[in-house]
Amino acid sequence: MRFASLLDSVGHTPLVGLPSLSPSEQVRLWAKLEDENPTGSVKDRAALAMVEQAEADGLLQPGSVLLEPTSGNTGISLAMVARQRGYRLVCVMPENTSAERRQLLSMWGAEVISSPAAGGSNEAVRVAKALAQEHPDWVMLYQYGNQANALAHYQTTGPELLADLPTITHFVAGLGTTGTLMGTGRYLREHKPDVQVIAAEPRYGELVYGLRNLDEGFVPELYDESVLTTRFSVGARDAIRRTRELLLTEGIFAGPSTGGILHAALGVARKAQQAGQEADIAFIVCDGGWKYLSTGLYEGTLDDAEQALEGQLWA
Amino acid sequence: MSVEVRVPTILRPLTGGEKIVQAQGATLEAVIKDLDASYPGIGERLVDDSGLRRFVNVYVNDEDVRFMDSLQTPVQDGDSVTILPAVAGG
């Protein structure tokens, strides 16, 4: 496939069947390989769409400074897009994220400001909002509340999935900003009213939930509960186990958030199988495993790997 | 019905520091009521007049109760109930 530039190649990712992990010929699992995007994650779609929307709104000029709270992938995608378009990028990222994320951000020329580990992304959002107040000339695209994030998936991920898998019955994705689930989910529901939209939410170690009080909790502005059929919480151990299983049985080298999503997808598959229903279950491979090699996720026993991820923002 | 309830750090001052506590009840609402009897004050941190508080997520066997019957979600012997504050991803 030929594209005019790297940015033009965002999306159009393959959907591959999982013959070994699918429970039967009637209940089939399909992986959408979002790691095949230019910076290696699903976030390229949202980052490009948010920048293009900001340009259309007249918010950006050459040399403008973008500001974004991110646990990594959105920052990396924005760094690439910003570099291509001539903007600067300042990322606020929790300090408990993998070393590779930090290296990649620097490579693409982003500045990284660390936020405290305790409180995870909530803290990154808080720090970024404070910085935005101090620097009114900076443009915070704010992935958690930017409709262009969800719209990117409504306009690209959803149509791609339906075109490749017209018999889709279930869509499973990770819940972070909620953009992937909201946009893809809305598109699929409009065209397949019976489709089930399932969220897999990472359950981190306790450090990440280290809020001072419950009122500091955070629900992304994009989140609309009515788009979802249900929502599962997946801990690090199940995520790691499934990440390894995906690698060993189907050859797909993915990051831990994908393992969490696969865990939810397999749960859904088991239910369909028990109910004797036919199912085509598509799920998102958010990113490849490359950025997590230093975490120890792929080495040693499950206990070792679980221990290594404790307190990290692994999704 | 006896269930295991996982309590987040932020609410542990109310459970004497306990991370996992036992509670009784046939629905989530009954479980929370029983929790509050054992650990006074925990109930109002989880529930207000309109139901579960906005920044509180509760999962029965890892499924979000808001997509089941919310406070009326039935629980069975041996189920696990996990309480977590809502946090950001991305």
Side-chain angles (χ1 to χ4, degrees):
Chain A
M1 243 177 289
R2 169 171 155 170
F3 298 98
S5 75
L6 185 67
L7 289 180
D8 291 294
S9 77
V10 169
H12 320 284
T13 54
L15 184 71
V16 301
L18 302 186
S20 301
L21 282 175
S22 297
S24 68
E25 284 185 15
Q26 286 69 45
V27 176
R28 297 164 294 263
L29 287 163
W30 303 86
K32 182 127 175 95
L33 303 183
E34 290 300 303
D35 59 310
E36 298 206 4
N37 276 299
T39 74
S41 93
V42 62
K43 299 295 188 182
D44 283 353
R45 294 181 191 260
L48 179 60
M50 290 193 298
V51 168
E52 287 186 337
Q53 185 61 51
E55 287 172 338
D57 292 343
L59 296 174
L60 300 176
Q61 292 85 40
S64 284
V65 179
L66 301 175
L67 168 69
E68 191 64 27
T70 173
S71 56
N73 279 336
T74 302
I76 292 165
S77 299
L78 277 174
M80 184 274 287
V81 177
R83 187 84 188 176
Q84 297 302 306
R85 298 285 176 103
Y87 312 125
R88 280 177 57 205
L89 174 66
V90 177
C91 289
V92 180
M93 189 160 79
E95 58 191 5
N96 46 339
T97 49
S98 79
E100 290 93 327
R101 296 192 196 188
R102 221 158 278 273
Q103 288 166 349
L104 285 162
L105 281 167
S106 304
M107 273 170 45
W108 264 293
E111 280 171 59
V112 183
I113 295 174
S114 291
S115 60
S121 294
N122 286 29
E123 275 298 297
V125 169
R126 197 183 57 76
V127 170
K129 283 181 173 170
L131 278 168
Q133 294 259 309
E134 285 170 35
H135 301 273
D137 52 322
W138 292 5
V139 178
M140 181 156 76
L141 296 172
Y142 192 58
Q143 54 174 335
Y144 301 99
N146 190 323
Q147 287 298 337
N149 173 358
L151 202 57
H153 296 286
Y154 182 87
Q155 290 172 339
T156 67
T157 319
E160 286 172 31
L161 274 169
L162 191 61
D164 289 339
L165 192 63
T167 51
I168 187 170
T169 55
H170 299 74
F171 172 64
V172 191
L175 192 79
T177 68
T178 78
T180 311
L181 280 157
M182 294 301 112
T184 311
R186 279 192 190 109
Y187 180 86
L188 292 174
R189 281 186 183 283
E190 281 175 18
H191 295 82
K192 302 274 288 188
D194 293 334
V195 76
Q196 294 197 26
V197 181
I198 292 130
E201 181 188 12
R203 185 168 68 245
Y204 297 116
E206 295 185 1
L207 180 67
V208 176
Y209 301 96
L211 314 179
R212 280 176 291 271
N213 61 67
L214 275 176
D215 298 332
E216 285 183 0
F218 182 79
V219 177
E221 290 83 345
L222 289 180
Y223 184 57
D224 172 2
E225 200 174 278
S226 72
V227 177
L228 301 183
T229 308
T230 192
R231 170 172 169 173
F232 293 101
S233 169
V234 185
R237 193 178 183 84
D238 285 325
I240 296 163
R241 186 160 61 92
R242 299 306 192 184
T243 304
R244 292 178 173 193
E245 204 176 341
L246 187 60
L247 179 69
L248 292 174
T249 58
E250 302 284 359
I252 297 173
F253 177 45
S257 55
T258 302
I261 295 165
L262 174 60
H263 185 67
L266 285 168
V268 166
R270 195 173 54 237
K271 268 186 211 161
Q273 178 77 359
Q274 283 166 353
Q277 292 161 347
E278 281 228 12
D280 275 308
I281 302 159
F283 68 93
I284 295 286
V285 171
C286 309
D287 62 3
W290 305 101
K291 282 195 293 285
Y292 309 93
L293 286 172
S294 75
T295 63
L297 162 66
Y298 306 94
E299 293 164 291
T301 64
L302 267 183
D303 284 340
D304 293 340
E306 190 182 11
Q307 188 63 37
L309 282 192
E310 175 65 33
Q312 297 293 307
L313 282 175
W314 47 262
Chain B
M1 307 288 168
S2 180
V3 298
E4 207 175 77
V5 182
R6 288 169 189 274
V7 181
T9 326
I10 198 167
L11 295 177
R12 278 181 219 158
L14 294 168
T15 60
E18 291 296 321
K19 185 175 171 179
I20 298 175
V21 298
Q22 299 292 320
Q24 314 287 322
T27 62
L28 178 61
E29 187 170 42
V31 165
I32 290 176
K33 205 167 271 182
D34 185 56
L35 267 184
D36 194 64
S38 310
Y39 309 104
I42 202 167
E44 64 171 359
R45 304 290 299 279
L46 304 177
V47 178
D48 60 20
D49 294 341
S50 58
L52 272 182
R53 285 185 182 274
R54 176 165 165 76
F55 294 125
V56 173
N57 292 333
V58 180
Y59 307 84
V60 171
N61 300 332
D62 293 339
E63 189 162 4
D64 186 335
V65 298
R66 287 193 172 93
F67 297 94
M68 296 189 279
D69 294 317
S70 207
L71 287 172
Q72 300 314 314
T73 301
V75 295
Q76 294 182 348
D77 239 7
D79 278 354
S80 87
V81 174
T82 303
I83 303 167
L84 284 176
V87 299

